[in-house]
Short mmCIF file of all heavy atoms in Angstrom, two decimals:
data_model
loop_
_atom_site.label_atom_id
_atom_site.label_comp_id
_atom_site.label_asym_id
_atom_site.label_seq_id
_atom_site.Cartn_x
_atom_site.Cartn_y
_atom_site.Cartn_z
N LYS Q 87 3.18 -3.27 -9.01
CA LYS Q 87 2.30 -2.52 -9.81
C LYS Q 87 2.65 -1.09 -9.64
O LYS Q 87 2.71 -0.28 -10.61
CB LYS Q 87 0.83 -2.71 -9.36
CG LYS Q 87 0.33 -4.05 -9.62
CD LYS Q 87 -1.22 -4.13 -9.45
CE LYS Q 87 -1.69 -3.77 -8.14
NZ LYS Q 87 -3.09 -3.94 -7.87
N GLY Q 88 3.00 -0.65 -8.38
CA GLY Q 88 3.40 0.72 -8.15
C GLY Q 88 4.74 1.11 -8.79
O GLY Q 88 4.92 2.12 -9.52
N VAL Q 89 5.68 0.16 -8.72
CA VAL Q 89 7.00 0.34 -9.41
C VAL Q 89 6.80 0.42 -10.87
O VAL Q 89 7.41 1.39 -11.51
CB VAL Q 89 7.94 -0.86 -9.04
CG1 VAL Q 89 9.20 -0.74 -9.80
CG2 VAL Q 89 8.22 -0.89 -7.55
N LEU Q 90 6.12 -0.48 -11.53
CA LEU Q 90 6.00 -0.52 -13.04
C LEU Q 90 5.34 0.80 -13.42
O LEU Q 90 5.63 1.34 -14.47
CB LEU Q 90 5.23 -1.79 -13.39
CG LEU Q 90 5.04 -1.91 -14.84
CD1 LEU Q 90 6.26 -2.00 -15.58
CD2 LEU Q 90 4.21 -3.24 -15.17
N ALA Q 91 4.27 1.20 -12.77
CA ALA Q 91 3.57 2.44 -13.09
C ALA Q 91 4.51 3.63 -13.16
O ALA Q 91 4.50 4.43 -14.06
CB ALA Q 91 2.36 2.73 -12.08
N VAL Q 92 5.33 3.71 -12.12
CA VAL Q 92 6.36 4.85 -12.00
C VAL Q 92 7.31 4.74 -13.29
O VAL Q 92 7.62 5.77 -13.86
CB VAL Q 92 7.07 4.93 -10.75
CG1 VAL Q 92 8.19 5.87 -10.72
CG2 VAL Q 92 6.04 5.30 -9.65
N ARG Q 93 7.74 3.54 -13.50
CA ARG Q 93 8.68 3.24 -14.58
C ARG Q 93 8.17 3.72 -15.96
O ARG Q 93 8.92 3.89 -16.96
CB ARG Q 93 9.10 1.74 -14.59
CG ARG Q 93 9.85 1.45 -13.34
CD ARG Q 93 11.26 2.20 -13.24
NE ARG Q 93 11.96 1.69 -11.99
CZ ARG Q 93 13.01 2.28 -11.68
NH1 ARG Q 93 13.61 3.29 -12.34
NH2 ARG Q 93 13.68 1.84 -10.58
N LEU Q 94 6.84 3.83 -16.10
CA LEU Q 94 6.31 4.25 -17.42
C LEU Q 94 6.71 5.68 -17.76
O LEU Q 94 6.78 6.01 -18.93
CB LEU Q 94 4.74 4.28 -17.29
CG LEU Q 94 4.05 2.93 -17.23
CD1 LEU Q 94 2.58 3.19 -17.12
CD2 LEU Q 94 4.34 2.11 -18.44
N SER Q 95 7.19 6.40 -16.75
CA SER Q 95 7.76 7.74 -17.03
C SER Q 95 8.97 7.83 -17.89
O SER Q 95 9.16 8.74 -18.64
CB SER Q 95 8.09 8.46 -15.72
OG SER Q 95 9.09 7.83 -15.06
N TYR Q 96 9.68 6.70 -17.96
CA TYR Q 96 10.85 6.54 -18.83
C TYR Q 96 10.59 6.27 -20.29
O TYR Q 96 11.47 6.31 -21.05
CB TYR Q 96 11.81 5.58 -18.20
CG TYR Q 96 12.35 5.88 -16.84
CD1 TYR Q 96 11.91 5.18 -15.66
CD2 TYR Q 96 13.17 7.02 -16.64
CE1 TYR Q 96 12.33 5.62 -14.47
CE2 TYR Q 96 13.65 7.37 -15.36
CZ TYR Q 96 13.20 6.71 -14.32
OH TYR Q 96 13.66 7.14 -13.09
N LEU Q 97 9.33 6.17 -20.53
CA LEU Q 97 8.90 5.94 -22.01
C LEU Q 97 8.97 7.42 -22.75
O LEU Q 97 9.00 7.45 -23.94
CB LEU Q 97 7.49 5.40 -22.14
CG LEU Q 97 7.40 4.03 -21.62
CD1 LEU Q 97 5.96 3.54 -21.75
CD2 LEU Q 97 8.31 3.07 -22.43
N ILE Q 98 9.02 8.47 -21.85
CA ILE Q 98 9.18 9.72 -22.42
C ILE Q 98 10.72 10.11 -22.51
O ILE Q 98 11.39 10.01 -21.37
CB ILE Q 98 8.50 10.82 -21.73
CG1 ILE Q 98 6.91 10.67 -21.75
CG2 ILE Q 98 8.79 12.25 -22.17
CD1 ILE Q 98 6.13 11.52 -20.89
N PRO Q 99 11.27 10.34 -23.66
CA PRO Q 99 12.80 10.40 -23.68
C PRO Q 99 13.50 11.54 -22.94
O PRO Q 99 14.57 11.41 -22.55
CB PRO Q 99 13.00 10.59 -25.23
CG PRO Q 99 11.73 11.11 -25.76
CD PRO Q 99 10.62 10.54 -24.97
N ALA Q 100 12.81 12.68 -22.79
CA ALA Q 100 13.43 13.84 -22.16
C ALA Q 100 12.36 14.72 -21.46
O ALA Q 100 11.18 14.70 -21.76
CB ALA Q 100 14.19 14.69 -23.25
N TYR Q 101 12.88 15.36 -20.43
CA TYR Q 101 12.05 16.25 -19.63
C TYR Q 101 12.73 17.67 -19.57
O TYR Q 101 13.88 17.82 -19.59
CB TYR Q 101 11.76 15.69 -18.28
CG TYR Q 101 10.97 14.52 -18.21
CD1 TYR Q 101 11.61 13.20 -18.31
CD2 TYR Q 101 9.61 14.53 -18.14
CE1 TYR Q 101 10.87 12.15 -18.35
CE2 TYR Q 101 8.85 13.34 -18.14
CZ TYR Q 101 9.46 12.04 -18.31
OH TYR Q 101 8.71 10.93 -18.31
N ASP Q 102 11.88 18.64 -19.37
CA ASP Q 102 12.44 20.11 -19.30
C ASP Q 102 13.17 20.28 -18.06
O ASP Q 102 14.05 21.12 -17.84
CB ASP Q 102 11.33 21.10 -19.43
CG ASP Q 102 10.70 21.09 -20.87
OD1 ASP Q 102 11.33 20.65 -21.77
OD2 ASP Q 102 9.49 21.43 -20.96
N SER Q 103 12.73 19.58 -16.89
CA SER Q 103 13.33 19.77 -15.60
C SER Q 103 13.23 18.47 -14.82
O SER Q 103 12.35 17.65 -15.03
CB SER Q 103 12.85 20.97 -14.95
OG SER Q 103 11.40 20.71 -14.60
N PRO Q 104 13.99 18.26 -13.72
CA PRO Q 104 13.84 17.08 -12.84
C PRO Q 104 12.42 17.15 -12.19
O PRO Q 104 11.85 16.12 -11.89
CB PRO Q 104 14.98 17.23 -11.79
CG PRO Q 104 16.02 18.01 -12.56
CD PRO Q 104 15.24 19.01 -13.44
N GLU Q 105 11.95 18.36 -11.84
CA GLU Q 105 10.64 18.55 -11.23
C GLU Q 105 9.62 17.87 -12.10
O GLU Q 105 8.61 17.32 -11.56
CB GLU Q 105 10.38 19.89 -10.92
CG GLU Q 105 11.24 20.53 -9.84
CD GLU Q 105 12.63 20.84 -10.23
OE1 GLU Q 105 12.92 20.90 -11.53
OE2 GLU Q 105 13.48 21.14 -9.36
N GLN Q 106 9.69 18.14 -13.38
CA GLN Q 106 8.69 17.60 -14.32
C GLN Q 106 8.56 16.08 -14.23
O GLN Q 106 7.48 15.43 -14.29
CB GLN Q 106 8.99 18.10 -15.80
CG GLN Q 106 7.85 17.74 -16.77
CD GLN Q 106 8.24 18.24 -18.19
OE1 GLN Q 106 9.37 18.51 -18.48
NE2 GLN Q 106 7.17 18.45 -19.05
N LEU Q 107 9.77 15.46 -14.24
CA LEU Q 107 9.91 14.03 -14.07
C LEU Q 107 9.19 13.55 -12.81
O LEU Q 107 8.44 12.60 -12.82
CB LEU Q 107 11.28 13.56 -14.19
CG LEU Q 107 11.60 12.07 -13.86
CD1 LEU Q 107 10.80 11.20 -14.97
CD2 LEU Q 107 13.00 11.72 -13.89
N ILE Q 108 9.59 14.18 -11.71
CA ILE Q 108 8.99 13.77 -10.38
C ILE Q 108 7.48 13.95 -10.41
O ILE Q 108 6.73 13.03 -9.95
CB ILE Q 108 9.57 14.59 -9.27
CG1 ILE Q 108 11.07 14.18 -9.02
CG2 ILE Q 108 8.75 14.48 -7.96
CD1 ILE Q 108 11.21 12.87 -8.42
N ASN Q 109 7.00 15.02 -10.97
CA ASN Q 109 5.61 15.30 -10.98
C ASN Q 109 4.84 14.23 -11.79
O ASN Q 109 3.76 13.65 -11.30
CB ASN Q 109 5.27 16.68 -11.47
CG ASN Q 109 5.67 17.82 -10.66
OD1 ASN Q 109 5.87 17.52 -9.46
ND2 ASN Q 109 5.83 19.02 -11.18
N LEU Q 110 5.38 13.82 -12.87
CA LEU Q 110 4.71 12.87 -13.69
C LEU Q 110 4.85 11.36 -12.98
O LEU Q 110 3.81 10.69 -12.97
CB LEU Q 110 5.45 12.62 -15.08
CG LEU Q 110 4.88 11.58 -15.98
CD1 LEU Q 110 3.48 11.77 -16.22
CD2 LEU Q 110 5.65 11.52 -17.31
N GLN Q 111 5.95 11.15 -12.32
CA GLN Q 111 5.98 9.86 -11.60
C GLN Q 111 5.01 9.76 -10.51
O GLN Q 111 4.43 8.69 -10.25
CB GLN Q 111 7.48 9.63 -11.04
CG GLN Q 111 8.53 9.43 -12.17
CD GLN Q 111 9.88 9.28 -11.63
OE1 GLN Q 111 10.27 9.84 -10.61
NE2 GLN Q 111 10.74 8.52 -12.23
N VAL Q 112 4.85 10.85 -9.75
CA VAL Q 112 3.89 10.81 -8.68
C VAL Q 112 2.46 10.71 -9.23
O VAL Q 112 1.62 9.87 -8.71
CB VAL Q 112 3.96 12.25 -7.91
CG1 VAL Q 112 2.71 12.35 -6.91
CG2 VAL Q 112 5.20 12.36 -7.09
N GLY Q 113 2.16 11.30 -10.34
CA GLY Q 113 0.92 11.20 -11.07
C GLY Q 113 0.61 9.76 -11.52
O GLY Q 113 -0.40 9.19 -11.30
N LEU Q 114 1.72 9.10 -12.09
CA LEU Q 114 1.52 7.77 -12.44
C LEU Q 114 1.34 6.84 -11.35
O LEU Q 114 0.48 5.88 -11.46
CB LEU Q 114 2.82 7.34 -13.32
CG LEU Q 114 3.03 7.97 -14.66
CD1 LEU Q 114 4.50 7.72 -15.21
CD2 LEU Q 114 1.96 7.69 -15.72
N GLY Q 115 2.15 7.00 -10.28
CA GLY Q 115 1.91 6.19 -9.11
C GLY Q 115 0.54 6.29 -8.52
O GLY Q 115 0.00 5.26 -8.17
N LEU Q 116 0.03 7.56 -8.40
CA LEU Q 116 -1.29 7.77 -7.83
C LEU Q 116 -2.36 7.09 -8.83
O LEU Q 116 -3.35 6.65 -8.31
CB LEU Q 116 -1.58 9.22 -7.76
CG LEU Q 116 -0.78 9.87 -6.64
CD1 LEU Q 116 -1.02 11.48 -6.59
CD2 LEU Q 116 -1.18 9.32 -5.22
N ALA Q 117 -2.13 7.21 -10.07
CA ALA Q 117 -3.12 6.52 -11.02
C ALA Q 117 -3.17 5.04 -10.70
O ALA Q 117 -4.20 4.38 -10.70
CB ALA Q 117 -2.69 6.79 -12.45
N ALA Q 118 -1.96 4.42 -10.48
CA ALA Q 118 -1.94 2.95 -10.13
C ALA Q 118 -2.65 2.70 -8.77
O ALA Q 118 -3.34 1.65 -8.71
CB ALA Q 118 -0.41 2.46 -10.06
N VAL Q 119 -2.41 3.59 -7.80
CA VAL Q 119 -3.09 3.39 -6.59
C VAL Q 119 -4.62 3.53 -6.67
O VAL Q 119 -5.34 2.61 -6.12
CB VAL Q 119 -2.61 4.38 -5.55
CG1 VAL Q 119 -3.47 4.42 -4.25
CG2 VAL Q 119 -1.11 4.22 -5.15
N VAL Q 120 -5.08 4.47 -7.58
CA VAL Q 120 -6.53 4.61 -7.73
C VAL Q 120 -7.01 3.30 -8.42
O VAL Q 120 -8.15 2.79 -8.18
CB VAL Q 120 -6.79 5.85 -8.60
CG1 VAL Q 120 -8.25 5.78 -9.16
CG2 VAL Q 120 -6.51 7.09 -7.85
N GLY Q 121 -6.24 2.76 -9.33
CA GLY Q 121 -6.63 1.52 -10.08
C GLY Q 121 -6.71 0.45 -9.08
O GLY Q 121 -7.64 -0.46 -9.28
N HIS Q 122 -5.76 0.31 -8.19
CA HIS Q 122 -5.92 -0.76 -7.16
C HIS Q 122 -7.13 -0.60 -6.18
O HIS Q 122 -7.83 -1.62 -5.94
CB HIS Q 122 -4.64 -0.65 -6.25
CG HIS Q 122 -4.58 -1.63 -5.18
ND1 HIS Q 122 -4.11 -2.98 -5.40
CD2 HIS Q 122 -5.04 -1.76 -3.88
CE1 HIS Q 122 -4.22 -3.66 -4.22
NE2 HIS Q 122 -4.81 -2.92 -3.34
N ILE Q 123 -7.50 0.64 -5.89
CA ILE Q 123 -8.66 0.85 -5.03
C ILE Q 123 -9.92 0.60 -5.80
O ILE Q 123 -10.90 -0.01 -5.24
CB ILE Q 123 -8.58 2.25 -4.40
CG1 ILE Q 123 -7.30 2.42 -3.53
CG2 ILE Q 123 -9.91 2.54 -3.52
CD1 ILE Q 123 -7.13 3.72 -3.03
N PHE Q 124 -9.91 1.06 -7.03
CA PHE Q 124 -11.16 0.98 -7.94
C PHE Q 124 -10.79 0.32 -9.26
O PHE Q 124 -10.68 0.92 -10.34
CB PHE Q 124 -11.73 2.38 -8.16
CG PHE Q 124 -12.06 3.15 -6.99
CD1 PHE Q 124 -11.22 4.26 -6.61
CD2 PHE Q 124 -13.14 2.89 -6.21
CE1 PHE Q 124 -11.52 4.98 -5.53
CE2 PHE Q 124 -13.42 3.59 -5.10
CZ PHE Q 124 -12.66 4.69 -4.70
#
Side-chain angles (χ1 to χ4, degrees):
K87 293 192 301 186
V89 173
L90 182 58
V92 169
R93 294 297 180 185
L94 291 178
S95 63
Y96 295 110
L97 294 177
I98 296 179
Y101 295 88
D102 295 332
S103 65
E105 290 78 13
Q106 187 180 22
L107 172 61
I108 288 290
N109 290 344
L110 178 59
Q111 288 179 332
V112 171
L114 291 171
L116 289 177
V119 172
V120 171
H122 179 87
I123 298 172
F124 304 107

